[in-house]
Amino acid sequence: MPEEAPTKRERTRQAILDAAYNLIVRQGYAATSMRQVAEGAGLALGGIYNHFASKEEVFRAIIEDRHPFYQIVPILNSVEGETVEEFVRNAAHTMVAELGHHPDFLNLMLTEIVEFKGEHVPLLFERMFPMIMPLAQRITSLDGDMRQIPPPVLMRAFLGMFFSFYITEILIGRAMPKDMQFNALDYFVDIFLHGILVGRN
Amino acid sequence: MPEEAPTKRERTRQAILDAAYNLIVRQGYAATSMRQVAEGAGLALGGIYNHFASKEEVFRAIIEDRHPFYQIVPILNSVEGETVEEFVRNAAHTMVAELGHHPDFLNLMLTEIVEFKGEHVPLLFERMFPMIMPLAQRITSLDGDMRQIPPPVLMRAFLGMFFSFYITEILIGRAMPKDMQFNALDYFVDIFLHGILVGRN
DNA sequence: AAAATAAAAACGAACGTTCGTTCTTTTTTC
DNA sequence: GAAAAAAGAACGAACGTTCGTTTTTATTTT
């Protein structure tokens, strides 16, 4: 029923969000001015205020309906694998690749934490929790003996491990010796699956 | 020989850095004004420029000689343990506890990434590398069969895993169900040591 | 040890910009 | 033709920085 013709009003609103989004992920919130947003949206400065009450309102709208989280996490649900090992390996590669397709994600996330003290994180998490938990259920139902780990802890460890992999890959990738980069993702997967120790556990 | 009397000049310089540090970790760089810094340092606005050429110069000085990294990482060298397992367990707890004692660390790090695009990270890393690598050497010399993992990858996985634990603990600690918090650190340690799978690896 | 002198630091007003927001007018949209 | 949106000038406040002056500090000369 919807999806037909986005009204003019709606199109301008989206143009503003587009412009603001691109500026904010590049320079942060405080360093982005309403004049830049206006120019990016092809609008006069005052025109923005017909759509948003304030600068902060623009940012809130971005967090609420443009956060890349909402695109990245669902991707994990489409990951395949018969065994736990296979699944984890695929999921790790998929997630890191997907993060690579959304370089904005990191910037937006950090901007929110730094400039808004992470006040939107609970909202983000509330939305993401229902997306993430089915994944945990799926993993525990796959072939392969898994240690008894509470599913939330499992998911947190998975996301944390490979998210940190991605961040460090970006941040220090070029500053580091080559041997720290090569195939590092597969090492991470192995550690996550089997630990750093050899032998029974 | 030194350590005697910090000259007056040096004392004001430190006062400026103190004030700027506290403001920046709380509000970020762009949101911190030179007037706030001056007031915090008990100085007139113009006085700052007798010690620093610009606002950015103040930030650079903070990164270069006040970054909490330099306090946190060396702590790991004092961690004890006869076996790999023991050592890793102690190191994880020590690091998380130490991060807890430096809540500023996270803010400063993120501010640098967001507002300066991480341009100081290579410098940070260059300094930290010599501190970190001996640690990796130590681990590999302990009792306990370790899988063959390049030491840099090992360190990166360790730091990433427990750093991400700390971040998520802070960010979503209160927004999450209790069972995701309880003893989660020990689960992380177990996963790091033994992986999520049961059996030989 | 005291006084004189040169250098450095602190002051605080002021500069030119830029900021977020408001307001009135004109134009577009339905 | 009524209502909404765009325009753009204008507002006051805040920004980083500069500047001339005064005060403090450190050094040298009596």
Side-chain angles (χ1 to χ4, degrees), chain A residues 22-29 31-33 36 115, chain B residues 114 117:
Chain A
N22 287 318
L23 287 163
I24 288 174
V25 297
R26 277 167 181 72
Q27 350 175 332
Y29 173 78
T32 295
S33 74
Q36 289 178 314
E115 309 199 55
Chain B
V114 170
K117 304 171 203 281

Side-chain angles (χ1 to χ4, degrees), chain B residues 163-183:
Chain B
F163 192 71
S164 86
F165 170 84
Y166 171 74
I167 292 189
T168 53
E169 192 79 0
I170 285 199
L171 284 186
I172 57 185
R174 297 186 199 102
M176 289 192 56
K178 286 281 167 52
D179 59 345
M180 203 150 166
Q181 305 182 47
F182 223 76
N183 268 340

